[in-house]
Amino acid sequence: MELVCQSRLRLDGLKTADLEKYEGLDIKDICSTGLDSARLNHCAHFVSHALNLGFGMLCGNMSWDTKGQGVCIRVDEIFNRCKLVGTWSDRPLCLKPCLAFVTPSTNIQGNHMGSSPKKHIGIFIDDKIWHYSNGSDKVVTDSPERFLVKFKGLYGSKTQLYFGVLGNE
């Protein structure tokens, strides 16, 4: 883990101020491809716009007019792209910022996240997790403890909090 703390990571240089501009915004104020229905889950969509993650299933691919544009919209694709993942309790304290994921432990096989719909993602920085609240349709923050409690209530008692680190790709 020490090598991870000394290596250059994709989120190096990210500051709280970079995320504050998103606080309280609806996805329609963040995404220009038109993928903004309140009926959809936008947690990975928000994180990907904030970090410019242009791989996997893109928001623009959901419409012919914007095909090939946009950012990743799938939590599992982001998790499975991470160079290092683990349970939150195993997260090296030097990993600030990093990605935060919640999903039932049954959706994780080794270092791979499955496609269960019970999964959510945020960005951890300065002791807060920034994420998209699908219930409130806006970007919010929670402490890691509150984030886990909230999603245990939604996904069940086997829900765990995980960290993820993207390499510089």
Side-chain angles (χ1 to χ4, degrees):
M1 294 286 189
E2 189 61 34
L3 288 175
V4 170
C5 294
Q6 294 173 0
S7 68
R8 292 191 38 123
L9 303 172
R10 185 178 188 109
L11 300 185
D12 283 354
L14 183 69
K15 305 284 185 238
T16 299
D18 299 324
L19 298 176
E20 286 175 337
K21 65 184 175 188
Y22 295 107
E23 190 167 14
L25 291 183
D26 187 297
I27 197 68
K28 68 183 172 198
D29 300 317
I30 298 169
C31 180
S32 63
T33 68
L35 185 67
D36 58 15
S37 170
R39 291 175 289 145
L40 299 174
N41 184 328
H42 293 289
C43 63
H45 191 190
F46 155 66
V47 166
S48 294
H49 272 292
L51 301 177
N52 195 30
L53 304 180
F55 55 77
M57 175 57 79
L58 305 177
C59 53
N61 288 351
M62 303 307 286
S63 170
W64 186 257
D65 293 338
T66 55
K67 193 163 184 66
Q69 298 175 31
V71 296
C72 186
I73 59 172
R74 293 190 175 151
V75 175
D76 53 326
E77 288 182 355
I78 298 171
F79 185 94
N80 295 336
R81 267 285 187 75
C82 286
K83 145 182 181 175
L84 179 67
V85 293
T87 60
W88 196 257
S89 60
D90 291 335
R91 177 183 60 86
L93 296 179
C94 68
L95 287 183
K96 295 179 182 180
C98 67
L99 296 175
F101 301 87
V102 283
T103 194
S105 57
T106 54
N107 194 36
I108 301 292
Q109 305 297 321
N111 291 334
H112 182 82
M113 180 183 285
S115 59
S116 166
K118 294 180 178 181
K119 55 189 178 284
H120 198 79
I121 184 176
I123 303 167
F124 175 71
I125 188 169
D126 292 335
D127 299 319
K128 290 184 192 176
I129 297 175
W130 294 76
H131 64 106
Y132 194 82
S133 169
N134 292 297
S136 299
D137 290 316
K138 65 181 178 180
V139 177
V140 298
T141 64
D142 283 305
S143 69
E145 297 79 17
R146 177 72 187 123
F147 189 69
L148 179 58
V149 166
K150 184 184 289 188
F151 286 95
K152 275 190 173 187
L154 293 170
Y155 299 162
S157 62
K158 292 185 179 189
T159 301
Q160 289 194 29
L161 180 56
Y162 299 89
F163 74 90
V165 177
L166 288 165
N168 282 337
E169 300 170 354

